[in-house]
């Protein structure tokens, strides 16, 4: 895997940008790799070098990564003031539901359509979906798309105003639970023990709603990287980003073990990474 510094903007030059139109909305999606599709949804405040690093790990494990640009400046280091401005804009966007429990963000409909298209392009048993922070619960809502087989919720943080709330409508949650039981599927979820954004109350609410289909991993705060990017240092008061900003890329670290478990979960649900498979033919738009 090519080396990319984490303290400078990432050019994402080993990804191919596609302008993909679905449900009347066009978004840029950075695509790279071969094998079954995995949709990597960025955390706040955007596709940082740490998010791109994680996407490359998924790619090197034998998957085609689809990394949609949902907010922020693609590849940018999470600077404090720029990140805060992105956060403020997204919180008032009609596509996201940052506040108020029991409602699904409208953007998840577009993401489900992307999963459907990615499955058609890449083949395999199905698609993986990894949400982080602001997008954390999106991976669960995407289970309404039959192609999605491997959902991962990394520190799901919405709604911001209800520590025990879930960012999904009751009807959607019921449909997801029925599907998990019917198809013998599971949901992987990660948080740090002291995270005050993704709280223990929220994980308890997920467990109550999904039962043993919800597989929770809670890491000790001591496992978090002590020097995350400036946005996190200023605005995120506790360890938070298990797979990205607070991951320590050293053998034996709990965060690296969490990454490896996610990759193994994807391989189990989607099939072993097919690094030699043909590259997908991606249309630039779809109805």
């Amino acid at each position: 895997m090519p080396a990319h510094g984490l303290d400078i903007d990432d050019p994402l030059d080993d990804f191919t940008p596609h302008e993909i139109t679905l449900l009347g909305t066009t978004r840029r999606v950075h695509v790279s790799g071969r094998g079954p599709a995995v949709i990597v949804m960025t955390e706040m405040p955007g596709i940082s070098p740490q998010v791109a690093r994680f996407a490359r790990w998924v790619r090197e494990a034998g998957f085609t990564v689809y990394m949609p640009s949902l907010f922020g400046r693609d590849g940018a280091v999470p600077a404090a003031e720029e990140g805060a401005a992105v956060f403020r804009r997204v919180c008032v966007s009609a596509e996201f539901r940052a506040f108020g429990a029991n409602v699904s963000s409208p953007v998840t409909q577009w993401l489900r359509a992307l999963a459907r298209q990615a499955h058609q392009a890449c083949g395999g048993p199905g698609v993986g979906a990894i949400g982080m922070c602001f997008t954390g619960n999106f991976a669960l809502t995407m289970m309404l798309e039959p192609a999605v087989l491997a959902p991962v919720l990394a520190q799901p943080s919405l709604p911001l105003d209800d520590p025990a709330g879930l960012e999904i409508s009751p009807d959607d949650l019921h449909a997801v639970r029925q599907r998990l039981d019917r198809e013998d599927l599971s949901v992987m979820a990660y948080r740090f023990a002291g995270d005050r954004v993704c709280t223990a109350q929220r994980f308890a609410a997920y467990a109550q709603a999904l039962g043993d289909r919800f597989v929770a991993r809670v890491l000790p705060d001591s496992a978090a990287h002590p020097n995350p990017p400036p946005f996190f240092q200023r605005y995120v008061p506790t360890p938070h980003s298990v797979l990205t900003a607070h991951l320590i890329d050293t053998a034996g670290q709990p965060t690296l073990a969490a990454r490896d478990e996610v990759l193994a979960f994807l391989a189990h649900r989607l099939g072993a990474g097919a690094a030699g498979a043909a590259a997908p033919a991606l249309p630039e738009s779809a109805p």
Side-chain angles (χ1 to χ4, degrees):
M1 185 169 70
H4 292 78
L6 299 177
D7 56 352
I8 58 173
D9 288 356
D10 191 322
L12 304 176
D13 50 4
D14 52 332
F15 292 82
T16 301
H18 292 262
E19 301 296 323
I20 297 180
T21 301
L22 299 163
L23 307 178
T25 298
T26 302
R27 295 183 182 277
R28 173 164 290 190
V29 182
H30 302 275
V31 182
S32 185
R34 300 176 181 223
V38 176
I39 298 174
V40 175
M41 293 168 281
T42 185
E43 65 188 357
M44 187 63 62
I47 300 175
S48 65
Q50 289 82 2
V51 170
R53 175 182 63 177
F54 176 77
R56 292 184 178 104
W57 282 329
V58 174
R59 178 189 66 196
E60 295 305 310
F63 301 98
T64 303
V65 170
Y66 285 67
M67 188 165 54
S69 178
L70 299 174
F71 40 75
R73 183 165 55 90
D74 295 352
V77 171
E81 295 312 317
E82 181 180 5
V86 171
F87 175 78
R88 288 190 293 267
R89 287 196 300 271
V90 175
C91 280
V92 298
S93 168
E95 293 186 296
F96 299 89
R97 294 289 185 266
F99 303 98
N102 303 320
V103 62
S104 301
S105 287
V107 71
T108 57
Q109 297 179 34
W110 191 94
L111 291 164
R112 282 151 49 192
L114 178 64
R116 186 162 54 250
Q117 177 176 303
H119 187 216
Q120 293 169 353
C122 299
V127 175
I130 302 172
M132 308 175 185
C133 176
F134 214 84
T135 68
N137 191 74
F138 295 178
L140 184 66
T141 308
M142 287 173 68
M143 290 293 290
L144 295 170
E145 164 54 46
V148 178
L149 297 179
V152 177
L153 283 60
Q155 66 277 350
S157 301
L158 301 185
L160 297 172
D161 59 342
D162 184 352
L166 300 183
E167 198 261 359
I168 185 171
S169 72
D171 288 346
D172 287 351
L173 184 60
H174 178 69
V176 168
R177 173 61 194 263
Q178 286 190 315
R179 185 185 173 208
L180 292 171
D181 289 339
R182 183 175 61 251
E183 300 181 29
D184 192 21
L185 299 174
S186 56
V187 178
M188 298 298 301
Y190 298 84
R191 63 179 293 271
F192 285 104
D195 192 344
R196 296 206 298 266
V197 181
C198 175
T199 63
Q201 297 101 303
R202 178 158 298 137
F203 266 34
Y206 278 120
Q208 181 176 10
L210 302 177
D212 59 6
R213 301 294 176 180
F214 180 73
V215 182
R217 300 287 190 249
V218 180
L219 282 66
D221 290 354
S222 59
H225 198 295
N227 188 32
F231 173 80
F232 294 88
Q233 292 186 34
R234 182 174 299 184
Y235 294 110
V236 184
T238 55
H240 179 63
S241 299
V242 174
L243 302 174
T244 53
H246 287 101
L247 180 142
I248 300 176
D249 186 12
T250 303
Q253 289 292 328
T255 50
L256 202 63
R259 179 209 65 179
D260 291 343
E261 184 179 52
V262 169
L263 297 179
F265 175 65
L266 295 173
H268 173 66
R269 288 297 181 193
L270 307 179
L282 296 171
E284 293 301 300
S285 63

